[in-house]
Amino acid sequence: MPKVKDIYDFIDSFAPYDTACKWDNTGISVGDETQEVKKIVFALDITGDVADFAKEINADLIITHHPLIFNPVKQLPASSTLYKIANCGIAHISAHTNFDLAEEGVNTLLCDKLNLKITDSIKSDDVCLYICKTENEIDIVDFVYFVKEKLGGTVRYNGKNTKINTVAVCSGAGADYLSEAKENGADVLLTGDGSHHDFLDANEMGIALICAGHFETENPAIDWLLQKIENEFAVECVRAPQETAITTI
């Protein structure tokens, strides 16, 4: 029967933890690495509801994309997610920027889902950007509807009447990479999050920006990660019920 460390080592084999950004806090954050694992819960984020679900089905481990701990923990109330999983003996592993940067990672899986052909990548401790081509030149409005169909959620964009063929892709929070996208010949940057000022900057730079949701651009990778681990280990793998925390009307 695999242990927590075995699962960690397997993730490390295709998404090396030493490639994670310096500011990240990814890996084993809770639990005993020697603990045996029979059942794993998968989710994009570890929330109180995910912790309750894992406890309810007697899971031994939760695997998420986003880390549980980013900042120093000053209090540990019984209602906190960290307390919940630690108190019931559930371990936690996250695969965050190391999974973003992996050859088979969050960004490549997003490109595959959107039928985009990757032609180049820009990777560093601060940047993870994929340069892709659409099959044919396409109007941005048609592409936005295609993205919405594939990912769901709410899609925001600028650049009406723009024809696109080269797409820069960064799942999650990638609007800071507008300059890099423009410098690498992209007609549009597709990412998850973007502010009002990001769209103004995009207009000034002469590049389109599509924001398809942080949850929506990263969530498809969780099913792939579940399947990969299920194929490797004799453990029960369960997807936690989870939706984006953002409600739109």
Side-chain angles (χ1 to χ4, degrees):
M1 187 175 298
K3 296 179 171 57
V4 171
K5 184 62 162 58
D6 297 324
I7 309 294
Y8 171 91
D9 288 341
F10 179 63
I11 295 173
D12 187 59
S13 71
F14 61 85
Y17 279 97
D18 62 5
T19 65
C21 295
K22 294 176 183 177
W23 50 262
D24 203 2
N25 186 32
T26 195
I28 302 172
S29 61
V30 179
D32 181 357
E33 64 179 27
T34 66
Q35 177 179 325
E36 292 187 339
V37 177
K38 297 179 182 177
K39 186 180 294 185
I40 307 173
V41 166
F42 290 78
L44 184 68
D45 300 282
I46 184 162
T47 63
D49 287 342
V50 170
D52 289 339
F53 175 77
K55 182 179 179 181
E56 182 181 330
I57 67 169
N58 297 314
D60 310 292
L61 173 65
I62 300 172
I63 295 178
T64 63
H65 180 47
H66 294 136
L68 172 60
I69 305 169
F70 263 127
N71 302 310
V73 177
K74 297 181 179 180
Q75 294 179 320
L76 200 60
S79 59
S80 70
T81 301
L82 180 55
Y83 181 91
K84 283 181 179 181
I85 64 172
N87 191 51
C88 60
I90 300 175
H92 173 246
I93 297 174
S94 64
H96 192 210
T97 52
N98 59 308
F99 192 24
D100 287 330
L101 292 162
E103 185 174 341
E104 289 185 292
V106 179
N107 287 293
T108 52
L109 294 167
L110 177 60
C111 293
D112 288 346
K113 191 171 184 68
L114 297 177
N115 299 333
L116 295 171
K117 181 181 178 182
I118 299 171
T119 59
D120 196 10
S121 62
I122 299 92
K123 299 180 184 180
S124 71
D125 189 54
D126 298 317
V127 179
C128 179
L129 197 66
Y130 285 77
I131 307 301
C132 308
K133 293 288 186 181
T134 57
E135 187 174 348
N136 298 294
E137 186 178 69
I138 183 173
D139 186 87
I140 191 170
V141 176
D142 294 330
F143 184 65
V144 166
Y145 275 108
F146 173 73
V147 170
K148 183 176 177 63
E149 177 188 344
K150 289 290 186 178
L151 302 182
T154 300
V155 183
R156 298 180 297 137
Y157 72 100
N158 71 328
K160 286 184 179 180
N161 303 318
T162 300
K163 299 294 183 181
I164 62 172
N165 187 217
T166 304
V167 183
V169 175
C170 178
S171 62
D176 288 345
Y177 304 153
L178 278 166
S179 295
E180 288 83 357
K182 178 69 175 178
E183 289 167 6
N184 285 275
D187 305 308
V188 59
L189 169 62
L190 169 67
T191 188
D193 301 330
S195 70
H196 171 74
H197 293 286
D198 291 323
F199 282 100
L200 292 179
D201 289 343
N203 286 337
E204 285 289 319
M205 292 180 195
I207 184 173
L209 174 63
I210 297 173
C211 295
H214 198 122
F215 179 88
E216 287 80 6
T217 56
E218 294 184 334
N219 192 50
I222 303 303
D223 290 327
W224 181 92
L225 184 60
L226 183 156
Q227 192 64 56
K228 192 169 183 71
I229 289 176
E230 190 173 53
N231 290 342
E232 180 70 15
F233 298 99
V235 296
E236 183 179 352
C237 295
V238 182
R239 184 71 192 265
Q242 190 171 43
E243 298 178 352
T244 176
I246 300 171
T247 300
T248 58
I249 59 172

mmCIF file of all heavy atoms in Angstrom, residues 25-57:
data_model
loop_
_atom_site.group_PDB
_atom_site.id
_atom_site.type_symbol
_atom_site.label_atom_id
_atom_site.label_comp_id
_atom_site.label_asym_id
_atom_site.label_seq_id
_atom_site.Cartn_x
_atom_site.Cartn_y
_atom_site.Cartn_z
ATOM 1 N N ASN A 25 4.549 27.663 -1.845
ATOM 2 C CA ASN A 25 4.629 26.792 -0.669
ATOM 3 C C ASN A 25 3.896 25.491 -0.993
ATOM 4 O O ASN A 25 2.821 25.208 -0.489
ATOM 5 C CB ASN A 25 4.010 27.459 0.559
ATOM 6 C CG ASN A 25 4.217 26.635 1.822
ATOM 7 O OD1 ASN A 25 5.221 25.944 1.971
ATOM 8 N ND2 ASN A 25 3.273 26.697 2.735
ATOM 9 N N THR A 26 4.506 24.722 -1.867
ATOM 10 C CA THR A 26 3.853 23.540 -2.412
ATOM 11 C C THR A 26 4.483 22.270 -1.850
ATOM 12 O O THR A 26 5.569 22.307 -1.270
ATOM 13 C CB THR A 26 3.935 23.575 -3.953
ATOM 14 O OG1 THR A 26 3.040 22.641 -4.519
ATOM 15 C CG2 THR A 26 5.347 23.349 -4.448
ATOM 16 N N GLY A 27 3.803 21.138 -1.992
ATOM 17 C CA GLY A 27 4.317 19.877 -1.458
ATOM 18 C C GLY A 27 3.437 19.350 -0.333
ATOM 19 O O GLY A 27 2.227 19.596 -0.291
ATOM 20 N N ILE A 28 4.047 18.629 0.594
ATOM 21 C CA ILE A 28 3.316 18.083 1.742
ATOM 22 C C ILE A 28 3.202 19.175 2.801
ATOM 23 O O ILE A 28 4.198 19.625 3.343
ATOM 24 C CB ILE A 28 4.032 16.849 2.338
ATOM 25 C CG1 ILE A 28 4.199 15.761 1.281
ATOM 26 C CG2 ILE A 28 3.264 16.315 3.541
ATOM 27 C CD1 ILE A 28 5.056 14.581 1.729
ATOM 28 N N SER A 29 1.985 19.612 3.081
ATOM 29 C CA SER A 29 1.795 20.682 4.065
ATOM 30 C C SER A 29 1.217 20.186 5.376
ATOM 31 O O SER A 29 1.362 20.846 6.406
ATOM 32 C CB SER A 29 0.881 21.773 3.499
ATOM 33 O OG SER A 29 -0.396 21.256 3.196
ATOM 34 N N VAL A 30 0.551 19.041 5.365
ATOM 35 C CA VAL A 30 -0.059 18.476 6.571
ATOM 36 C C VAL A 30 0.125 16.970 6.548
ATOM 37 O O VAL A 30 -0.001 16.345 5.495
ATOM 38 C CB VAL A 30 -1.574 18.800 6.650
ATOM 39 C CG1 VAL A 30 -2.195 18.178 7.902
ATOM 40 C CG2 VAL A 30 -1.825 20.297 6.643
ATOM 41 N N GLY A 31 0.417 16.396 7.718
ATOM 42 C CA GLY A 31 0.387 14.949 7.839
ATOM 43 C C GLY A 31 1.744 14.280 7.890
ATOM 44 O O GLY A 31 2.788 14.913 7.720
ATOM 45 N N ASP A 32 1.693 12.977 8.093
ATOM 46 C CA ASP A 32 2.864 12.124 8.222
ATOM 47 C C ASP A 32 3.173 11.498 6.862
ATOM 48 O O ASP A 32 2.327 10.813 6.282
ATOM 49 C CB ASP A 32 2.568 11.041 9.264
ATOM 50 C CG ASP A 32 3.737 10.097 9.501
ATOM 51 O OD1 ASP A 32 4.778 10.238 8.816
ATOM 52 O OD2 ASP A 32 3.597 9.218 10.359
ATOM 53 N N GLU A 33 4.365 11.733 6.336
ATOM 54 C CA GLU A 33 4.696 11.211 5.010
ATOM 55 C C GLU A 33 4.767 9.689 4.979
ATOM 56 O O GLU A 33 4.727 9.093 3.902
ATOM 57 C CB GLU A 33 6.005 11.813 4.510
ATOM 58 C CG GLU A 33 7.231 11.456 5.310
ATOM 59 C CD GLU A 33 8.484 12.088 4.733
ATOM 60 O OE1 GLU A 33 8.391 13.142 4.078
ATOM 61 O OE2 GLU A 33 9.566 11.504 4.943
ATOM 62 N N THR A 34 4.844 9.043 6.147
ATOM 63 C CA THR A 34 4.866 7.574 6.192
ATOM 64 C C THR A 34 3.465 6.970 6.324
ATOM 65 O O THR A 34 3.327 5.749 6.357
ATOM 66 C CB THR A 34 5.742 7.085 7.357
ATOM 67 O OG1 THR A 34 5.137 7.451 8.610
ATOM 68 C CG2 THR A 34 7.145 7.665 7.279
ATOM 69 N N GLN A 35 2.442 7.814 6.397
ATOM 70 C CA GLN A 35 1.065 7.334 6.541
ATOM 71 C C GLN A 35 0.629 6.578 5.285
ATOM 72 O O GLN A 35 0.853 7.013 4.163
ATOM 73 C CB GLN A 35 0.138 8.526 6.773
ATOM 74 C CG GLN A 35 -1.345 8.169 6.857
ATOM 75 C CD GLN A 35 -2.198 9.399 7.116
ATOM 76 O OE1 GLN A 35 -1.778 10.310 7.818
ATOM 77 N NE2 GLN A 35 -3.386 9.440 6.539
ATOM 78 N N GLU A 36 0.000 5.430 5.468
ATOM 79 C CA GLU A 36 -0.506 4.662 4.339
ATOM 80 C C GLU A 36 -1.744 5.325 3.749
ATOM 81 O O GLU A 36 -2.539 5.948 4.459
ATOM 82 C CB GLU A 36 -0.835 3.234 4.770
ATOM 83 C CG GLU A 36 0.396 2.413 5.136
ATOM 84 C CD GLU A 36 0.066 0.958 5.405
ATOM 85 O OE1 GLU A 36 -1.114 0.661 5.692
ATOM 86 O OE2 GLU A 36 0.979 0.113 5.324
ATOM 87 N N VAL A 37 -1.892 5.188 2.431
ATOM 88 C CA VAL A 37 -2.973 5.855 1.714
ATOM 89 C C VAL A 37 -3.857 4.821 1.014
ATOM 90 O O VAL A 37 -3.388 4.053 0.168
ATOM 91 C CB VAL A 37 -2.420 6.842 0.673
ATOM 92 C CG1 VAL A 37 -3.557 7.482 -0.116
ATOM 93 C CG2 VAL A 37 -1.564 7.910 1.342
ATOM 94 N N LYS A 38 -5.129 4.830 1.367
ATOM 95 C CA LYS A 38 -6.111 3.969 0.717
ATOM 96 C C LYS A 38 -7.078 4.773 -0.151
ATOM 97 O O LYS A 38 -7.582 4.269 -1.150
ATOM 98 C CB LYS A 38 -6.931 3.207 1.760
ATOM 99 C CG LYS A 38 -6.122 2.248 2.636
ATOM 100 C CD LYS A 38 -7.034 1.580 3.647
ATOM 101 C CE LYS A 38 -6.258 0.657 4.579
ATOM 102 N NZ LYS A 38 -7.149 0.054 5.620
ATOM 103 N N LYS A 39 -7.344 6.021 0.262
ATOM 104 C CA LYS A 39 -8.323 6.837 -0.458
ATOM 105 C C LYS A 39 -7.819 8.276 -0.537
ATOM 106 O O LYS A 39 -7.384 8.842 0.462
ATOM 107 C CB LYS A 39 -9.675 6.786 0.244
ATOM 108 C CG LYS A 39 -10.805 7.477 -0.503
ATOM 109 C CD LYS A 39 -12.125 7.378 0.263
ATOM 110 C CE LYS A 39 -12.624 5.952 0.347
ATOM 111 N NZ LYS A 39 -13.967 5.874 0.976
ATOM 112 N N ILE A 40 -7.906 8.862 -1.741
ATOM 113 C CA ILE A 40 -7.442 10.226 -1.985
ATOM 114 C C ILE A 40 -8.583 11.063 -2.526
ATOM 115 O O ILE A 40 -9.320 10.635 -3.426
ATOM 116 C CB ILE A 40 -6.281 10.259 -3.001
ATOM 117 C CG1 ILE A 40 -5.150 9.322 -2.586
ATOM 118 C CG2 ILE A 40 -5.749 11.690 -3.150
ATOM 119 C CD1 ILE A 40 -4.052 9.192 -3.646
ATOM 120 N N VAL A 41 -8.716 12.271 -2.009
ATOM 121 C CA VAL A 41 -9.663 13.256 -2.524
ATOM 122 C C VAL A 41 -8.893 14.304 -3.321
ATOM 123 O O VAL A 41 -7.844 14.779 -2.881
ATOM 124 C CB VAL A 41 -10.442 13.923 -1.374
ATOM 125 C CG1 VAL A 41 -11.179 15.173 -1.866
ATOM 126 C CG2 VAL A 41 -11.439 12.940 -0.768
ATOM 127 N N PHE A 42 -9.425 14.663 -4.494
ATOM 128 C CA PHE A 42 -8.791 15.645 -5.373
ATOM 129 C C PHE A 42 -9.676 16.879 -5.496
ATOM 130 O O PHE A 42 -10.896 16.770 -5.643
ATOM 131 C CB PHE A 42 -8.570 15.059 -6.769
ATOM 132 C CG PHE A 42 -7.510 14.000 -6.834
ATOM 133 C CD1 PHE A 42 -7.775 12.700 -6.395
ATOM 134 C CD2 PHE A 42 -6.248 14.278 -7.327
ATOM 135 C CE1 PHE A 42 -6.806 11.713 -6.453
ATOM 136 C CE2 PHE A 42 -5.271 13.300 -7.390
ATOM 137 C CZ PHE A 42 -5.549 12.013 -6.947
ATOM 138 N N ALA A 43 -9.046 18.052 -5.476
ATOM 139 C CA ALA A 43 -9.771 19.311 -5.652
ATOM 140 C C ALA A 43 -8.795 20.382 -6.117
ATOM 141 O O ALA A 43 -7.579 20.238 -5.942
ATOM 142 C CB ALA A 43 -10.444 19.742 -4.351
ATOM 143 N N LEU A 44 -9.317 21.446 -6.705
ATOM 144 C CA LEU A 44 -8.447 22.557 -7.084
ATOM 145 C C LEU A 44 -7.972 23.298 -5.846
ATOM 146 O O LEU A 44 -6.799 23.633 -5.712
ATOM 147 C CB LEU A 44 -9.189 23.522 -8.009
ATOM 148 C CG LEU A 44 -8.348 24.674 -8.549
ATOM 149 C CD1 LEU A 44 -7.282 24.176 -9.520
ATOM 150 C CD2 LEU A 44 -9.226 25.731 -9.213
ATOM 151 N N ASP A 45 -8.903 23.554 -4.913
ATOM 152 C CA ASP A 45 -8.603 24.271 -3.673
ATOM 153 C C ASP A 45 -9.007 23.424 -2.479
ATOM 154 O O ASP A 45 -10.004 22.698 -2.527
ATOM 155 C CB ASP A 45 -9.383 25.585 -3.609
ATOM 156 C CG ASP A 45 -9.045 26.522 -4.750
ATOM 157 O OD1 ASP A 45 -7.987 27.170 -4.677
ATOM 158 O OD2 ASP A 45 -9.831 26.598 -5.710
ATOM 159 N N ILE A 46 -8.267 23.558 -1.390
ATOM 160 C CA ILE A 46 -8.656 22.872 -0.164
ATOM 161 C C ILE A 46 -9.444 23.853 0.698
ATOM 162 O O ILE A 46 -8.901 24.781 1.275
ATOM 163 C CB ILE A 46 -7.448 22.279 0.574
ATOM 164 C CG1 ILE A 46 -7.911 21.490 1.791
ATOM 165 C CG2 ILE A 46 -6.407 23.314 0.916
ATOM 166 C CD1 ILE A 46 -6.879 20.535 2.336
ATOM 167 N N THR A 47 -10.742 23.652 0.725
ATOM 168 C CA THR A 47 -11.661 24.500 1.481
ATOM 169 C C THR A 47 -12.230 23.702 2.650
ATOM 170 O O THR A 47 -12.003 22.488 2.770
ATOM 171 C CB THR A 47 -12.819 24.960 0.589
ATOM 172 O OG1 THR A 47 -13.562 23.787 0.171
ATOM 173 C CG2 THR A 47 -12.310 25.693 -0.644
ATOM 174 N N GLY A 48 -13.013 24.388 3.498
ATOM 175 C CA GLY A 48 -13.662 23.691 4.596
ATOM 176 C C GLY A 48 -14.594 22.606 4.098
ATOM 177 O O GLY A 48 -14.661 21.514 4.682
ATOM 178 N N ASP A 49 -15.305 22.876 3.000
ATOM 179 C CA ASP A 49 -16.220 21.879 2.447
ATOM 180 C C ASP A 49 -15.464 20.658 1.923
ATOM 181 O O ASP A 49 -15.921 19.520 2.073
ATOM 182 C CB ASP A 49 -17.044 22.490 1.308
ATOM 183 C CG ASP A 49 -18.098 23.458 1.813
ATOM 184 O OD1 ASP A 49 -18.428 23.411 3.006
ATOM 185 O OD2 ASP A 49 -18.585 24.271 0.999
ATOM 186 N N VAL A 50 -14.307 20.894 1.297
ATOM 187 C CA VAL A 50 -13.492 19.777 0.803
ATOM 188 C C VAL A 50 -12.970 18.955 1.976
ATOM 189 O O VAL A 50 -12.960 17.722 1.937
ATOM 190 C CB VAL A 50 -12.329 20.292 -0.073
ATOM 191 C CG1 VAL A 50 -11.342 19.166 -0.376
ATOM 192 C CG2 VAL A 50 -12.863 20.889 -1.359
ATOM 193 N N ALA A 51 -12.541 19.637 3.035
ATOM 194 C CA ALA A 51 -12.061 18.935 4.233
ATOM 195 C C ALA A 51 -13.179 18.094 4.847
ATOM 196 O O ALA A 51 -12.958 16.941 5.244
ATOM 197 C CB ALA A 51 -11.528 19.937 5.251
ATOM 198 N N ASP A 52 -14.386 18.663 4.924
ATOM 199 C CA ASP A 52 -15.527 17.925 5.482
ATOM 200 C C ASP A 52 -15.858 16.714 4.612
ATOM 201 O O ASP A 52 -16.167 15.627 5.133
ATOM 202 C CB ASP A 52 -16.751 18.837 5.575
ATOM 203 C CG ASP A 52 -16.612 19.899 6.652
ATOM 204 O OD1 ASP A 52 -15.796 19.711 7.578
ATOM 205 O OD2 ASP A 52 -17.316 20.924 6.566
ATOM 206 N N PHE A 53 -15.805 16.891 3.298
ATOM 207 C CA PHE A 53 -16.077 15.788 2.379
ATOM 208 C C PHE A 53 -15.046 14.676 2.555
ATOM 209 O O PHE A 53 -15.400 13.487 2.618
ATOM 210 C CB PHE A 53 -16.060 16.302 0.940
ATOM 211 C CG PHE A 53 -16.215 15.226 -0.098
ATOM 212 C CD1 PHE A 53 -17.453 14.667 -0.363
ATOM 213 C CD2 PHE A 53 -15.117 14.775 -0.819
ATOM 214 C CE1 PHE A 53 -17.595 13.672 -1.327
ATOM 215 C CE2 PHE A 53 -15.253 13.780 -1.784
ATOM 216 C CZ PHE A 53 -16.495 13.233 -2.037
ATOM 217 N N ALA A 54 -13.770 15.045 2.656
ATOM 218 C CA ALA A 54 -12.709 14.051 2.828
ATOM 219 C C ALA A 54 -12.885 13.286 4.140
ATOM 220 O O ALA A 54 -12.694 12.063 4.193
ATOM 221 C CB ALA A 54 -11.347 14.737 2.787
ATOM 222 N N LYS A 55 -13.260 13.992 5.184
ATOM 223 C CA LYS A 55 -13.489 13.343 6.483
ATOM 224 C C LYS A 55 -14.690 12.398 6.401
ATOM 225 O O LYS A 55 -14.654 11.280 6.923
ATOM 226 C CB LYS A 55 -13.722 14.401 7.557
ATOM 227 C CG LYS A 55 -13.931 13.845 8.950
ATOM 228 C CD LYS A 55 -14.132 14.962 9.970
ATOM 229 C CE LYS A 55 -14.370 14.387 11.365
ATOM 230 N NZ LYS A 55 -14.584 15.474 12.367
ATOM 231 N N GLU A 56 -15.729 12.844 5.724
ATOM 232 C CA GLU A 56 -16.962 12.062 5.616
ATOM 233 C C GLU A 56 -16.736 10.728 4.910
ATOM 234 O O GLU A 56 -17.337 9.709 5.283
ATOM 235 C CB GLU A 56 -18.016 12.874 4.862
ATOM 236 C CG GLU A 56 -19.360 12.193 4.711
ATOM 237 C CD GLU A 56 -20.341 13.048 3.930
ATOM 238 O OE1 GLU A 56 -20.244 14.285 3.987
ATOM 239 O OE2 GLU A 56 -21.213 12.462 3.253
ATOM 240 N N ILE A 57 -15.876 10.705 3.904
ATOM 241 C CA ILE A 57 -15.653 9.463 3.149
ATOM 242 C C ILE A 57 -14.393 8.714 3.628
ATOM 243 O O ILE A 57 -13.946 7.777 2.990
ATOM 244 C CB ILE A 57 -15.575 9.726 1.643
ATOM 245 C CG1 ILE A 57 -14.324 10.535 1.271
ATOM 246 C CG2 ILE A 57 -16.833 10.414 1.142
ATOM 247 C CD1 ILE A 57 -14.072 10.594 -0.226
#
